[in-house]
Amino acid sequence: MSLPAHRLTDLPTILQEARHAVDLRLTRRAELLRQSPGGRDGEALAYALGTAGKRVRPALVFASYRAAGGEAEGIAGIAAAVEIVHTYSLVHDDLPCMDDDAQRRGRPTTHMQFDTSTATRTGFLLVPVAVEELADGAQAMALPDATLGRMAETLLEASGIRGMVGGQWLDLEGEGRRLELADLVEIHRRKTGALIEAACALGATAAGADRRTEAALTEFGREIGLAFQIADDLLDATATSAELGKTAGRDATLEKATYVSLLGVAGARSEALRHADLACAALRGSGIESGALESLAGYIVQRRS
Ligand code: GRG
């Protein structure tokens, strides 16, 4: 990827702004969940929401919203809704029946900290919590009900069988099997890419973008979503557990096909960069100037965790 330096907007500021606003919402939501349902489930929900991720998806919601001309503060609620769906997926991904991992975001996974049935419930309970957060966000922005309806459809469609759940299912079925690159592209686009695409689409919808702008931001999300998972494959093969805050080398242990196993480290890296370039080209092709989105695209493929 070759971006002229003057077009890059200050990345730490972009991530910090989204993290700060979304963490406030997640902390408030965790407090509510400690009260209801309360008890051990409330504690487990608060624990899962309290783990510190990079908040890339919220940053993409913010940046897409701004790129489409949005200015309201309430966008943090929409961004938090996406992060809550992501959090549910991590809790379930780590379960013994899936990737069976003990560490996440530098802390014990939810099922290690509590137990498997509590963590399973936590994941499921987070889905309606995300929809509640989305509705609260839409209300704070005084968005029409029809817009909230479209946003809920975007988020839930991306989370379901045609998106994240379907991708994870294919991913689990693919363990120990030889996959072609086309199979892997489909798994990556659904398992990881769909929610990232939805994050960008939601920012555009919340801003009331016209069809062309919304399509370009969605296309940006589709390409950067695939690049994100290719970068994740690379990190799993090349970074340490300390850098990742989770067990490195899991893909090889589980005999998963990845971009690295199919194309090697250099081949995977060049595909990640190519898809990041395609993402930025989608913006420029529609005349969208967004230093923030271009910075995020660069970060997604060059990050070390
Ligand atoms: C019932 C089959 C079935 C599935 C349930 C578990 C699940 C749904 C889906 C798994 C989706 C998943 C975990 C995809 C991987 C996405 C990914 C690369 C996560 C890491 O994201 P980062 O790097 O993590 O943004 P942080 O911790 O920074 O938020």
Side-chain angles (χ1 to χ4, degrees), residues 28-49 114 117-130 132:
R28 205 201 56 160
R29 188 60 69 183
E31 282 314 313
L32 292 173
L33 292 163
R34 276 202 174 91
Q35 289 158 31
S36 172
R40 193 170 167 79
D41 283 334
E43 286 305 319
L45 284 156
Y47 180 82
L49 290 179
F114 294 86
S117 59
T118 304
T120 306
R121 273 198 306 283
T122 297
F124 287 131
L125 286 168
L126 283 173
V127 179
V129 170
E132 239 179 296

PDB file of all heavy atoms in Angstrom, residues 28-49 114 117-130 132:
ATOM      1  N   ARG A  28     -20.927   1.730  31.073  1.00  0.00           N
ATOM      2  CA  ARG A  28     -22.286   2.004  31.553  1.00  0.00           C
ATOM      3  C   ARG A  28     -23.174   0.770  31.351  1.00  0.00           C
ATOM      4  O   ARG A  28     -23.934   0.365  32.205  1.00  0.00           O
ATOM      5  CB  ARG A  28     -22.866   3.199  30.791  1.00  0.00           C
ATOM      6  CG  ARG A  28     -23.946   3.944  31.551  1.00  0.00           C
ATOM      7  CD  ARG A  28     -24.790   4.726  30.606  1.00  0.00           C
ATOM      8  NE  ARG A  28     -25.339   3.824  29.587  1.00  0.00           N
ATOM      9  CZ  ARG A  28     -26.391   4.087  28.840  1.00  0.00           C
ATOM     10  NH1 ARG A  28     -27.001   5.209  28.950  1.00  0.00           N
ATOM     11  NH2 ARG A  28     -26.838   3.239  27.953  1.00  0.00           N
ATOM     12  N   ARG A  29     -23.044   0.123  30.203  1.00  0.00           N
ATOM     13  CA  ARG A  29     -23.830  -1.070  29.891  1.00  0.00           C
ATOM     14  C   ARG A  29     -23.476  -2.199  30.864  1.00  0.00           C
ATOM     15  O   ARG A  29     -24.344  -2.914  31.359  1.00  0.00           O
ATOM     16  CB  ARG A  29     -23.561  -1.479  28.438  1.00  0.00           C
ATOM     17  CG  ARG A  29     -24.410  -2.571  27.892  1.00  0.00           C
ATOM     18  CD  ARG A  29     -25.894  -2.292  27.885  1.00  0.00           C
ATOM     19  NE  ARG A  29     -26.314  -1.259  26.952  1.00  0.00           N
ATOM     20  CZ  ARG A  29     -27.585  -0.843  26.851  1.00  0.00           C
ATOM     21  NH1 ARG A  29     -28.546  -1.381  27.592  1.00  0.00           N
ATOM     22  NH2 ARG A  29     -27.898   0.121  26.004  1.00  0.00           N
ATOM     23  N   ALA A  30     -22.181  -2.333  31.181  1.00  0.00           N
ATOM     24  CA  ALA A  30     -21.748  -3.383  32.112  1.00  0.00           C
ATOM     25  C   ALA A  30     -22.370  -3.150  33.489  1.00  0.00           C
ATOM     26  O   ALA A  30     -22.805  -4.105  34.151  1.00  0.00           O
ATOM     27  CB  ALA A  30     -20.223  -3.408  32.202  1.00  0.00           C
ATOM     28  N   GLU A  31     -22.433  -1.892  33.908  1.00  0.00           N
ATOM     29  CA  GLU A  31     -23.048  -1.593  35.211  1.00  0.00           C
ATOM     30  C   GLU A  31     -24.517  -2.001  35.218  1.00  0.00           C
ATOM     31  O   GLU A  31     -25.016  -2.570  36.191  1.00  0.00           O
ATOM     32  CB  GLU A  31     -22.916  -0.084  35.527  1.00  0.00           C
ATOM     33  CG  GLU A  31     -21.541   0.317  36.009  1.00  0.00           C
ATOM     34  CD  GLU A  31     -20.993  -0.646  37.077  1.00  0.00           C
ATOM     35  OE1 GLU A  31     -21.734  -0.986  38.016  1.00  0.00           O
ATOM     36  OE2 GLU A  31     -19.841  -1.096  36.933  1.00  0.00           O
ATOM     37  N   LEU A  32     -25.229  -1.702  34.131  1.00  0.00           N
ATOM     38  CA  LEU A  32     -26.652  -2.093  34.043  1.00  0.00           C
ATOM     39  C   LEU A  32     -26.788  -3.610  34.117  1.00  0.00           C
ATOM     40  O   LEU A  32     -27.702  -4.137  34.768  1.00  0.00           O
ATOM     41  CB  LEU A  32     -27.262  -1.581  32.728  1.00  0.00           C
ATOM     42  CG  LEU A  32     -27.418  -0.059  32.600  1.00  0.00           C
ATOM     43  CD1 LEU A  32     -27.876   0.312  31.180  1.00  0.00           C
ATOM     44  CD2 LEU A  32     -28.430   0.452  33.634  1.00  0.00           C
ATOM     45  N   LEU A  33     -25.871  -4.336  33.458  1.00  0.00           N
ATOM     46  CA  LEU A  33     -25.958  -5.802  33.426  1.00  0.00           C
ATOM     47  C   LEU A  33     -25.597  -6.405  34.785  1.00  0.00           C
ATOM     48  O   LEU A  33     -26.097  -7.470  35.151  1.00  0.00           O
ATOM     49  CB  LEU A  33     -25.057  -6.356  32.311  1.00  0.00           C
ATOM     50  CG  LEU A  33     -25.557  -6.013  30.899  1.00  0.00           C
ATOM     51  CD1 LEU A  33     -24.455  -6.208  29.864  1.00  0.00           C
ATOM     52  CD2 LEU A  33     -26.781  -6.868  30.542  1.00  0.00           C
ATOM     53  N   ARG A  34     -24.759  -5.707  35.540  1.00  0.00           N
ATOM     54  CA  ARG A  34     -24.452  -6.178  36.910  1.00  0.00           C
ATOM     55  C   ARG A  34     -25.711  -6.140  37.763  1.00  0.00           C
ATOM     56  O   ARG A  34     -25.875  -6.918  38.692  1.00  0.00           O
ATOM     57  CB  ARG A  34     -23.378  -5.293  37.553  1.00  0.00           C
ATOM     58  CG  ARG A  34     -21.986  -5.694  37.192  1.00  0.00           C
ATOM     59  CD  ARG A  34     -20.969  -5.188  38.230  1.00  0.00           C
ATOM     60  NE  ARG A  34     -19.663  -5.710  37.908  1.00  0.00           N
ATOM     61  CZ  ARG A  34     -18.779  -5.086  37.128  1.00  0.00           C
ATOM     62  NH1 ARG A  34     -19.072  -3.901  36.621  1.00  0.00           N
ATOM     63  NH2 ARG A  34     -17.614  -5.632  36.863  1.00  0.00           N
ATOM     64  N   GLN A  35     -26.616  -5.177  37.414  1.00  0.00           N
ATOM     65  CA  GLN A  35     -27.881  -5.087  38.171  1.00  0.00           C
ATOM     66  C   GLN A  35     -28.897  -6.078  37.625  1.00  0.00           C
ATOM     67  O   GLN A  35     -29.616  -6.729  38.365  1.00  0.00           O
ATOM     68  CB  GLN A  35     -28.437  -3.659  38.073  1.00  0.00           C
ATOM     69  CG  GLN A  35     -27.630  -2.632  38.866  1.00  0.00           C
ATOM     70  CD  GLN A  35     -27.836  -1.210  38.345  1.00  0.00           C
ATOM     71  OE1 GLN A  35     -28.909  -0.892  37.849  1.00  0.00           O
ATOM     72  NE2 GLN A  35     -26.822  -0.383  38.441  1.00  0.00           N
ATOM     73  N   SER A  36     -29.001  -6.187  36.311  1.00  0.00           N
ATOM     74  CA  SER A  36     -29.959  -7.103  35.675  1.00  0.00           C
ATOM     75  C   SER A  36     -29.343  -7.642  34.379  1.00  0.00           C
ATOM     76  O   SER A  36     -29.020  -6.837  33.499  1.00  0.00           O
ATOM     77  CB  SER A  36     -31.260  -6.356  35.375  1.00  0.00           C
ATOM     78  OG  SER A  36     -32.100  -7.168  34.603  1.00  0.00           O
ATOM     79  N   PRO A  37     -29.114  -8.942  34.271  1.00  0.00           N
ATOM     80  CA  PRO A  37     -29.582 -10.028  35.140  1.00  0.00           C
ATOM     81  C   PRO A  37     -28.886 -10.148  36.485  1.00  0.00           C
ATOM     82  O   PRO A  37     -29.343 -10.892  37.351  1.00  0.00           O
ATOM     83  CB  PRO A  37     -29.295 -11.275  34.295  1.00  0.00           C
ATOM     84  CG  PRO A  37     -28.111 -10.921  33.463  1.00  0.00           C
ATOM     85  CD  PRO A  37     -28.301  -9.463  33.132  1.00  0.00           C
ATOM     86  N   GLY A  38     -27.756  -9.448  36.706  1.00  0.00           N
ATOM     87  CA  GLY A  38     -27.067  -9.530  37.988  1.00  0.00           C
ATOM     88  C   GLY A  38     -26.443 -10.895  38.216  1.00  0.00           C
ATOM     89  O   GLY A  38     -26.354 -11.719  37.309  1.00  0.00           O
ATOM     90  N   GLY A  39     -26.026 -11.122  39.453  1.00  0.00           N
ATOM     91  CA  GLY A  39     -25.450 -12.413  39.839  1.00  0.00           C
ATOM     92  C   GLY A  39     -24.236 -12.775  38.996  1.00  0.00           C
ATOM     93  O   GLY A  39     -23.533 -11.912  38.464  1.00  0.00           O
ATOM     94  N   ARG A  40     -24.028 -14.074  38.853  1.00  0.00           N
ATOM     95  CA  ARG A  40     -22.844 -14.560  38.127  1.00  0.00           C
ATOM     96  C   ARG A  40     -22.924 -14.209  36.639  1.00  0.00           C
ATOM     97  O   ARG A  40     -21.922 -13.865  36.020  1.00  0.00           O
ATOM     98  CB  ARG A  40     -22.758 -16.079  38.320  1.00  0.00           C
ATOM     99  CG  ARG A  40     -21.455 -16.687  37.898  1.00  0.00           C
ATOM    100  CD  ARG A  40     -21.420 -18.155  38.370  1.00  0.00           C
ATOM    101  NE  ARG A  40     -20.341 -18.892  37.737  1.00  0.00           N
ATOM    102  CZ  ARG A  40     -19.070 -18.831  38.090  1.00  0.00           C
ATOM    103  NH1 ARG A  40     -18.694 -18.052  39.088  1.00  0.00           N
ATOM    104  NH2 ARG A  40     -18.157 -19.558  37.465  1.00  0.00           N
ATOM    105  N   ASP A  41     -24.140 -14.278  36.061  1.00  0.00           N
ATOM    106  CA  ASP A  41     -24.277 -13.915  34.646  1.00  0.00           C
ATOM    107  C   ASP A  41     -23.946 -12.437  34.434  1.00  0.00           C
ATOM    108  O   ASP A  41     -23.269 -12.072  33.464  1.00  0.00           O
ATOM    109  CB  ASP A  41     -25.698 -14.213  34.145  1.00  0.00           C
ATOM    110  CG  ASP A  41     -25.891 -15.709  33.884  1.00  0.00           C
ATOM    111  OD1 ASP A  41     -24.898 -16.400  33.607  1.00  0.00           O
ATOM    112  OD2 ASP A  41     -27.038 -16.183  33.982  1.00  0.00           O
ATOM    113  N   GLY A  42     -24.433 -11.590  35.350  1.00  0.00           N
ATOM    114  CA  GLY A  42     -24.143 -10.155  35.248  1.00  0.00           C
ATOM    115  C   GLY A  42     -22.645  -9.898  35.324  1.00  0.00           C
ATOM    116  O   GLY A  42     -22.094  -9.081  34.576  1.00  0.00           O
ATOM    117  N   GLU A  43     -21.968 -10.610  36.250  1.00  0.00           N
ATOM    118  CA  GLU A  43     -20.511 -10.443  36.392  1.00  0.00           C
ATOM    119  C   GLU A  43     -19.785 -10.899  35.133  1.00  0.00           C
ATOM    120  O   GLU A  43     -18.830 -10.265  34.681  1.00  0.00           O
ATOM    121  CB  GLU A  43     -19.989 -11.240  37.601  1.00  0.00           C
ATOM    122  CG  GLU A  43     -20.332 -10.634  38.940  1.00  0.00           C
ATOM    123  CD  GLU A  43     -19.877  -9.181  39.063  1.00  0.00           C
ATOM    124  OE1 GLU A  43     -18.763  -8.843  38.619  1.00  0.00           O
ATOM    125  OE2 GLU A  43     -20.673  -8.369  39.577  1.00  0.00           O
ATOM    126  N   ALA A  44     -20.233 -12.023  34.564  1.00  0.00           N
ATOM    127  CA  ALA A  44     -19.564 -12.554  33.359  1.00  0.00           C
ATOM    128  C   ALA A  44     -19.778 -11.606  32.173  1.00  0.00           C
ATOM    129  O   ALA A  44     -18.856 -11.365  31.380  1.00  0.00           O
ATOM    130  CB  ALA A  44     -20.090 -13.948  33.038  1.00  0.00           C
ATOM    131  N   LEU A  45     -20.989 -11.058  32.054  1.00  0.00           N
ATOM    132  CA  LEU A  45     -21.255 -10.093  30.974  1.00  0.00           C
ATOM    133  C   LEU A  45     -20.368  -8.857  31.140  1.00  0.00           C
ATOM    134  O   LEU A  45     -19.764  -8.373  30.168  1.00  0.00           O
ATOM    135  CB  LEU A  45     -22.738  -9.687  30.996  1.00  0.00           C
ATOM    136  CG  LEU A  45     -23.710 -10.734  30.440  1.00  0.00           C
ATOM    137  CD1 LEU A  45     -25.112 -10.534  31.003  1.00  0.00           C
ATOM    138  CD2 LEU A  45     -23.731 -10.680  28.912  1.00  0.00           C
ATOM    139  N   ALA A  46     -20.279  -8.365  32.377  1.00  0.00           N
ATOM    140  CA  ALA A  46     -19.451  -7.181  32.633  1.00  0.00           C
ATOM    141  C   ALA A  46     -17.983  -7.497  32.371  1.00  0.00           C
ATOM    142  O   ALA A  46     -17.235  -6.665  31.835  1.00  0.00           O
ATOM    143  CB  ALA A  46     -19.661  -6.702  34.071  1.00  0.00           C
ATOM    144  N   TYR A  47     -17.560  -8.704  32.723  1.00  0.00           N
ATOM    145  CA  TYR A  47     -16.163  -9.122  32.492  1.00  0.00           C
ATOM    146  C   TYR A  47     -15.849  -9.107  31.002  1.00  0.00           C
ATOM    147  O   TYR A  47     -14.834  -8.551  30.563  1.00  0.00           O
ATOM    148  CB  TYR A  47     -15.973 -10.524  33.066  1.00  0.00           C
ATOM    149  CG  TYR A  47     -14.575 -11.086  32.891  1.00  0.00           C
ATOM    150  CD1 TYR A  47     -13.557 -10.741  33.771  1.00  0.00           C
ATOM    151  CD2 TYR A  47     -14.281 -11.980  31.850  1.00  0.00           C
ATOM    152  CE1 TYR A  47     -12.266 -11.256  33.619  1.00  0.00           C
ATOM    153  CE2 TYR A  47     -12.997 -12.495  31.689  1.00  0.00           C
ATOM    154  CZ  TYR A  47     -11.997 -12.135  32.581  1.00  0.00           C
ATOM    155  OH  TYR A  47     -10.729 -12.649  32.424  1.00  0.00           O
ATOM    156  N   ALA A  48     -16.741  -9.711  30.215  1.00  0.00           N
ATOM    157  CA  ALA A  48     -16.501  -9.779  28.761  1.00  0.00           C
ATOM    158  C   ALA A  48     -16.473  -8.370  28.168  1.00  0.00           C
ATOM    159  O   ALA A  48     -15.608  -8.045  27.343  1.00  0.00           O
ATOM    160  CB  ALA A  48     -17.577 -10.629  28.091  1.00  0.00           C
ATOM    161  N   LEU A  49     -17.401  -7.524  28.594  1.00  0.00           N
ATOM    162  CA  LEU A  49     -17.450  -6.165  28.030  1.00  0.00           C
ATOM    163  C   LEU A  49     -16.277  -5.313  28.505  1.00  0.00           C
ATOM    164  O   LEU A  49     -15.920  -4.326  27.864  1.00  0.00           O
ATOM    165  CB  LEU A  49     -18.770  -5.471  28.412  1.00  0.00           C
ATOM    166  CG  LEU A  49     -20.034  -6.017  27.737  1.00  0.00           C
ATOM    167  CD1 LEU A  49     -21.260  -5.253  28.227  1.00  0.00           C
ATOM    168  CD2 LEU A  49     -19.934  -5.917  26.212  1.00  0.00           C
ATOM    169  N   PHE A 114     -14.903 -17.921  34.364  1.00  0.00           N
ATOM    170  CA  PHE A 114     -16.163 -18.371  34.972  1.00  0.00           C
ATOM    171  C   PHE A 114     -16.267 -19.875  34.711  1.00  0.00           C
ATOM    172  O   PHE A 114     -15.558 -20.649  35.344  1.00  0.00           O
ATOM    173  CB  PHE A 114     -17.326 -17.558  34.406  1.00  0.00           C
ATOM    174  CG  PHE A 114     -17.247 -16.108  34.818  1.00  0.00           C
ATOM    175  CD1 PHE A 114     -16.493 -15.180  34.098  1.00  0.00           C
ATOM    176  CD2 PHE A 114     -17.898 -15.664  35.966  1.00  0.00           C
ATOM    177  CE1 PHE A 114     -16.372 -13.858  34.505  1.00  0.00           C
ATOM    178  CE2 PHE A 114     -17.787 -14.342  36.382  1.00  0.00           C
ATOM    179  CZ  PHE A 114     -17.025 -13.433  35.639  1.00  0.00           C
ATOM    180  N   SER A 117     -20.532 -23.100  30.672  1.00  0.00           N
ATOM    181  CA  SER A 117     -21.950 -22.784  30.436  1.00  0.00           C
ATOM    182  C   SER A 117     -22.230 -21.303  30.672  1.00  0.00           C
ATOM    183  O   SER A 117     -23.018 -20.694  29.946  1.00  0.00           O
ATOM    184  CB  SER A 117     -22.881 -23.700  31.240  1.00  0.00           C
ATOM    185  OG  SER A 117     -22.611 -23.582  32.587  1.00  0.00           O
ATOM    186  N   THR A 118     -21.560 -20.702  31.657  1.00  0.00           N
ATOM    187  CA  THR A 118     -21.752 -19.251  31.885  1.00  0.00           C
ATOM    188  C   THR A 118     -21.250 -18.466  30.665  1.00  0.00           C
ATOM    189  O   THR A 118     -21.911 -17.533  30.199  1.00  0.00           O
ATOM    190  CB  THR A 118     -20.993 -18.790  33.152  1.00  0.00           C
ATOM    191  OG1 THR A 118     -21.430 -19.575  34.252  1.00  0.00           O
ATOM    192  CG2 THR A 118     -21.238 -17.326  33.452  1.00  0.00           C
ATOM    193  N   ALA A 119     -20.087 -18.857  30.138  1.00  0.00           N
ATOM    194  CA  ALA A 119     -19.541 -18.141  28.972  1.00  0.00           C
ATOM    195  C   ALA A 119     -20.437 -18.329  27.746  1.00  0.00           C
ATOM    196  O   ALA A 119     -20.618 -17.403  26.952  1.00  0.00           O
ATOM    197  CB  ALA A 119     -18.121 -18.620  28.681  1.00  0.00           C
ATOM    198  N   THR A 120     -21.013 -19.516  27.600  1.00  0.00           N
ATOM    199  CA  THR A 120     -21.913 -19.757  26.461  1.00  0.00           C
ATOM    200  C   THR A 120     -23.127 -18.836  26.572  1.00  0.00           C
ATOM    201  O   THR A 120     -23.514 -18.179  25.600  1.00  0.00           O
ATOM    202  CB  THR A 120     -22.359 -21.237  26.436  1.00  0.00           C
ATOM    203  OG1 THR A 120     -21.193 -22.055  26.460  1.00  0.00           O
ATOM    204  CG2 THR A 120     -23.181 -21.556  25.203  1.00  0.00           C
ATOM    205  N   ARG A 121     -23.702 -18.765  27.774  1.00  0.00           N
ATOM    206  CA  ARG A 121     -24.855 -17.861  27.978  1.00  0.00           C
ATOM    207  C   ARG A 121     -24.448 -16.413  27.756  1.00  0.00           C
ATOM    208  O   ARG A 121     -25.163 -15.642  27.141  1.00  0.00           O
ATOM    209  CB  ARG A 121     -25.390 -17.996  29.412  1.00  0.00           C
ATOM    210  CG  ARG A 121     -26.401 -19.074  29.618  1.00  0.00           C
ATOM    211  CD  ARG A 121     -27.189 -18.863  30.907  1.00  0.00           C
ATOM    212  NE  ARG A 121     -26.371 -18.704  32.101  1.00  0.00           N
ATOM    213  CZ  ARG A 121     -25.769 -19.712  32.738  1.00  0.00           C
ATOM    214  NH1 ARG A 121     -25.895 -20.941  32.316  1.00  0.00           N
ATOM    215  NH2 ARG A 121     -25.038 -19.481  33.815  1.00  0.00           N
ATOM    216  N   THR A 122     -23.262 -16.050  28.246  1.00  0.00           N
ATOM    217  CA  THR A 122     -22.781 -14.660  28.093  1.00  0.00           C
ATOM    218  C   THR A 122     -22.785 -14.262  26.620  1.00  0.00           C
ATOM    219  O   THR A 122     -23.284 -13.191  26.256  1.00  0.00           O
ATOM    220  CB  THR A 122     -21.352 -14.533  28.667  1.00  0.00           C
ATOM    221  OG1 THR A 122     -21.415 -14.804  30.055  1.00  0.00           O
ATOM    222  CG2 THR A 122     -20.779 -13.145  28.450  1.00  0.00           C
ATOM    223  N   GLY A 123     -22.241 -15.132  25.792  1.00  0.00           N
ATOM    224  CA  GLY A 123     -22.198 -14.821  24.362  1.00  0.00           C
ATOM    225  C   GLY A 123     -23.589 -14.599  23.805  1.00  0.00           C
ATOM    226  O   GLY A 123     -23.859 -13.578  23.157  1.00  0.00           O
ATOM    227  N   PHE A 124     -24.499 -15.539  24.075  1.00  0.00           N
ATOM    228  CA  PHE A 124     -25.865 -15.396  23.537  1.00  0.00           C
ATOM    229  C   PHE A 124     -26.544 -14.136  24.072  1.00  0.00           C
ATOM    230  O   PHE A 124     -27.225 -13.426  23.334  1.00  0.00           O
ATOM    231  CB  PHE A 124     -26.712 -16.622  23.876  1.00  0.00           C
ATOM    232  CG  PHE A 124     -26.333 -17.849  23.064  1.00  0.00           C
ATOM    233  CD1 PHE A 124     -26.123 -19.073  23.664  1.00  0.00           C
ATOM    234  CD2 PHE A 124     -26.184 -17.764  21.682  1.00  0.00           C
ATOM    235  CE1 PHE A 124     -25.761 -20.190  22.917  1.00  0.00           C
ATOM    236  CE2 PHE A 124     -25.826 -18.873  20.922  1.00  0.00           C
ATOM    237  CZ  PHE A 124     -25.617 -20.089  21.546  1.00  0.00           C
ATOM    238  N   LEU A 125     -26.343 -13.863  25.374  1.00  0.00           N
ATOM    239  CA  LEU A 125     -27.009 -12.696  25.971  1.00  0.00           C
ATOM    240  C   LEU A 125     -26.506 -11.380  25.371  1.00  0.00           C
ATOM    241  O   LEU A 125     -27.232 -10.376  25.362  1.00  0.00           O
ATOM    242  CB  LEU A 125     -26.784 -12.693  27.488  1.00  0.00           C
ATOM    243  CG  LEU A 125     -27.607 -13.731  28.272  1.00  0.00           C
ATOM    244  CD1 LEU A 125     -27.100 -13.842  29.709  1.00  0.00           C
ATOM    245  CD2 LEU A 125     -29.086 -13.366  28.262  1.00  0.00           C
ATOM    246  N   LEU A 126     -25.271 -11.391  24.880  1.00  0.00           N
ATOM    247  CA  LEU A 126     -24.717 -10.139  24.345  1.00  0.00           C
ATOM    248  C   LEU A 126     -25.400  -9.712  23.036  1.00  0.00           C
ATOM    249  O   LEU A 126     -25.371  -8.538  22.683  1.00  0.00           O
ATOM    250  CB  LEU A 126     -23.206 -10.273  24.130  1.00  0.00           C
ATOM    251  CG  LEU A 126     -22.367 -10.191  25.411  1.00  0.00           C
ATOM    252  CD1 LEU A 126     -20.894 -10.502  25.124  1.00  0.00           C
ATOM    253  CD2 LEU A 126     -22.489  -8.810  26.066  1.00  0.00           C
ATOM    254  N   VAL A 127     -26.038 -10.656  22.338  1.00  0.00           N
ATOM    255  CA  VAL A 127     -26.665 -10.273  21.055  1.00  0.00           C
ATOM    256  C   VAL A 127     -27.831  -9.292  21.279  1.00  0.00           C
ATOM    257  O   VAL A 127     -27.830  -8.193  20.701  1.00  0.00           O
ATOM    258  CB  VAL A 127     -27.084 -11.510  20.235  1.00  0.00           C
ATOM    259  CG1 VAL A 127     -27.743 -11.086  18.931  1.00  0.00           C
ATOM    260  CG2 VAL A 127     -25.871 -12.397  19.956  1.00  0.00           C
ATOM    261  N   PRO A 128     -28.822  -9.638  22.129  1.00  0.00           N
ATOM    262  CA  PRO A 128     -29.858  -8.617  22.383  1.00  0.00           C
ATOM    263  C   PRO A 128     -29.324  -7.364  23.061  1.00  0.00           C
ATOM    264  O   PRO A 128     -29.865  -6.269  22.854  1.00  0.00           O
ATOM    265  CB  PRO A 128     -30.875  -9.345  23.277  1.00  0.00           C
ATOM    266  CG  PRO A 128     -30.217 -10.603  23.729  1.00  0.00           C
ATOM    267  CD  PRO A 128     -29.152 -10.941  22.744  1.00  0.00           C
ATOM    268  N   VAL A 129     -28.249  -7.502  23.840  1.00  0.00           N
ATOM    269  CA  VAL A 129     -27.654  -6.294  24.449  1.00  0.00           C
ATOM    270  C   VAL A 129     -27.138  -5.368  23.342  1.00  0.00           C
ATOM    271  O   VAL A 129     -27.309  -4.140  23.403  1.00  0.00           O
ATOM    272  CB  VAL A 129     -26.495  -6.685  25.417  1.00  0.00           C
ATOM    273  CG1 VAL A 129     -25.721  -5.446  25.852  1.00  0.00           C
ATOM    274  CG2 VAL A 129     -27.038  -7.427  26.625  1.00  0.00           C
ATOM    275  N   ALA A 130     -26.566  -5.956  22.300  1.00  0.00           N
ATOM    276  CA  ALA A 130     -26.070  -5.139  21.182  1.00  0.00           C
ATOM    277  C   ALA A 130     -27.227  -4.413  20.493  1.00  0.00           C
ATOM    278  O   ALA A 130     -27.108  -3.231  20.134  1.00  0.00           O
ATOM    279  CB  ALA A 130     -25.330  -6.024  20.177  1.00  0.00           C
ATOM    280  N   GLU A 132     -30.057  -3.539  21.847  1.00  0.00           N
ATOM    281  CA  GLU A 132     -30.497  -2.478  22.765  1.00  0.00           C
ATOM    282  C   GLU A 132     -29.586  -1.258  22.628  1.00  0.00           C
ATOM    283  O   GLU A 132     -30.041  -0.116  22.597  1.00  0.00           O
ATOM    284  CB  GLU A 132     -30.379  -3.008  24.197  1.00  0.00           C
ATOM    285  CG  GLU A 132     -31.677  -3.008  24.976  1.00  0.00           C
ATOM    286  CD  GLU A 132     -31.435  -3.567  26.365  1.00  0.00           C
ATOM    287  OE1 GLU A 132     -31.076  -4.770  26.455  1.00  0.00           O
ATOM    288  OE2 GLU A 132     -31.602  -2.811  27.336  1.00  0.00           O
TER     289      GLU A 132
END
